[in-house]
Amino acid sequence: MSSPAIRLSVHDVGYDHPDARRLIAEVQAEYVQRYGGPDSSPVDPMEFQPPQGLFAVGYLGAEPVAMGGWRRHDDEHPQTAWAAPVAEVKRMYVSTAARGRGYARTVLAYLEDTAREAGVRWLLLETGSRQPEAVALYLSCGYQPVPRFGYYADRELAIHLGKDLTAAGQAAAADQPAAAGQAAASAQPAAAGQPRSAPPGR
């Protein structure tokens, strides 16, 4: 593994890139450990091709250690039209040996910047209550509970979060110092439920 002093370099590679496939296999194995099964939500690699989406891998030197992507939702999508123009974050993940160095935050910031530049207003995501480190990351980055959506909308372990990427949205979030604590309480689903998908360390 590369030295922690090496800066993470993030590159757009596409969902089908060999390095992306390797990390996707790792995160799916982690979902099996945490939830009893892999993330089964439908994913088409073409959804992550510009201008409809993007998929990036973070490297330490030549070693792929982190990833994440976003895909647009149709503006008329019945569950997410309220947030249009909207995109969904998928496959946020940092390999076990590279955690605790801020790389998930680096990848997430990259996804936010590229989505904003592509005209996306809201970034939404699904995570789960068995990934407390992921939930903490998102809340600390300004994500708040949003209406449920997607493949795991009815699963009790699922947590749905979103962030307004516009300047107005960021200013509103900055004016609410207690928002993260309130969101943390709101984002705790009932115990029990079924396997679902999620982000960093996903």
Side-chain angles (χ1 to χ4, degrees), residues 80-87 121-122 124:
T80 60
W82 63 269
V86 59
R121 176 178 179 180
W122 276 86
L124 307 182

Side-chain angles (χ1 to χ4, degrees), residues 11-200:
H11 299 278
D12 302 349
V13 300
Y15 195 90
D16 277 336
H17 189 279
D19 292 338
R21 291 202 302 267
R22 168 181 156 185
L23 293 171
I24 290 168
E26 288 183 18
V27 74
Q28 290 285 33
E30 182 161 327
Y31 293 156
V32 172
Q33 293 179 346
R34 297 200 186 207
Y35 296 100
D39 178 359
S40 299
S41 56
V43 171
D44 180 348
M46 294 303 295
E47 296 174 322
F48 298 90
Q49 291 292 327
Q52 291 304 111
L54 172 148
F55 201 86
V57 168
Y59 294 86
L60 290 182
E63 181 73 8
V65 299
M67 67 175 176
W70 57 264
R71 58 182 181 182
R72 289 183 185 269
H73 282 204
D74 187 276
D75 286 354
E76 303 302 319
H77 190 290
Q79 293 177 317
T80 60
W82 63 269
V86 59
E88 177 188 6
V89 173
K90 291 295 291 182
R91 299 291 183 261
M92 274 284 296
Y93 174 74
V94 176
S95 61
T96 303
R99 293 178 187 173
R101 307 178 195 176
Y103 297 148
R105 194 175 297 272
T106 297
V107 172
L108 184 59
Y110 181 82
L111 298 181
E112 291 178 359
D113 288 345
T114 54
R116 186 185 297 107
E117 291 169 2
V120 171
R121 176 178 179 180
W122 276 86
L123 268 185
L124 307 182
L125 61 89
E126 291 182 305
T127 185
S129 59
R130 293 180 181 171
Q131 290 168 277
E133 69 276 42
V135 175
L137 167 70
Y138 294 130
L139 295 178
S140 73
C141 290
Y143 287 77
Q144 299 185 18
V146 297
R148 289 174 170 264
F149 68 91
Y151 188 78
Y152 293 101
D154 62 346
R155 302 297 177 89
E156 293 185 16
L157 293 182
I159 295 173
H160 297 79
L161 303 173
K163 181 176 181 178
D164 184 346
L165 300 179
T166 64
Q170 296 306 295
D175 287 340
Q176 300 180 32
Q182 295 167 353
S186 300
Q188 298 307 313
Q194 301 175 25
R196 49 120 331 25
S197 97

